């Protein structure tokens, strides 16, 4: 059974930025794209770079180490050198709280 877990406050995550959080032993990168929130696995599937430190470009994040791009909505690897997708997590905003659904 999955559960919603508070991971941040809306004011903690400005538009166009990422934030790393850890929930139930999972490292998750949380992103705000013009008020739409996304949560994906934080480790690049190529070499393990922290994606919360990457550059947000629309609904993509670019890995800070080798430039692989990932889709924030699906976790799909869009460009080499990454080939494998990332896990995605459902995000809900309740009032000022950002919550992630953890399976």
């Amino acid at each position: 059974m999955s559960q919603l877990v508070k991971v941040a406050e809306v004011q903690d995550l400005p538009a166009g930025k990422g934030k790393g959080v850890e929930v139930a032993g999972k490292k998750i990168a949380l992103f705000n794209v013009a008020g739409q929130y996304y949560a994906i696995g934080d480790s690049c599937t190529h070499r393990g770079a922290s994606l919360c430190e990457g550059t947000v470009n629309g609904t993509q994040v670019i890995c800070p180490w080798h430039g692989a791009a990932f889709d924030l909505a699906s976790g799909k690897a869009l460009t080499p050198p990454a080939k494998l997708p990332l896990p995605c997590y459902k995000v809900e905003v309740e009032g000022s709280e950002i919550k992630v659904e953890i399976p």
Side-chain angles (χ1 to χ4, degrees), residues 4-13 19 21 30 32 35-38 90-101:
L4 279 174
V5 178
K6 177 185 172 187
V7 293
E9 296 279 332
V10 170
Q11 65 267 17
D12 297 336
L13 189 59
K19 176 182 179 73
V21 298
L30 186 65
N32 175 352
Q36 178 70 42
Y37 296 90
Y38 299 91
K90 180 179 176 184
V91 179
E92 290 189 17
V93 177
E94 294 179 5
S96 64
E97 296 182 342
I98 303 170
K99 297 181 177 185
V100 173
E101 187 175 290

Side-chain angles (χ1 to χ4, degrees), residues 30-83:
L30 186 65
F31 296 94
N32 175 352
V33 178
Q36 178 70 42
Y37 296 90
Y38 299 91
I40 59 174
D42 190 34
S43 296
C44 177
T45 57
H46 174 240
R47 295 283 178 164
S50 178
L51 293 173
C52 69
E53 297 173 8
T55 302
V56 177
N57 183 11
T59 58
Q60 298 178 13
V61 63
I62 310 303
C63 177
W65 286 1
H66 300 111
F70 293 89
D71 182 81
L72 294 175
S74 69
K76 180 179 178 182
L78 300 173
T79 64
K83 296 177 184 174

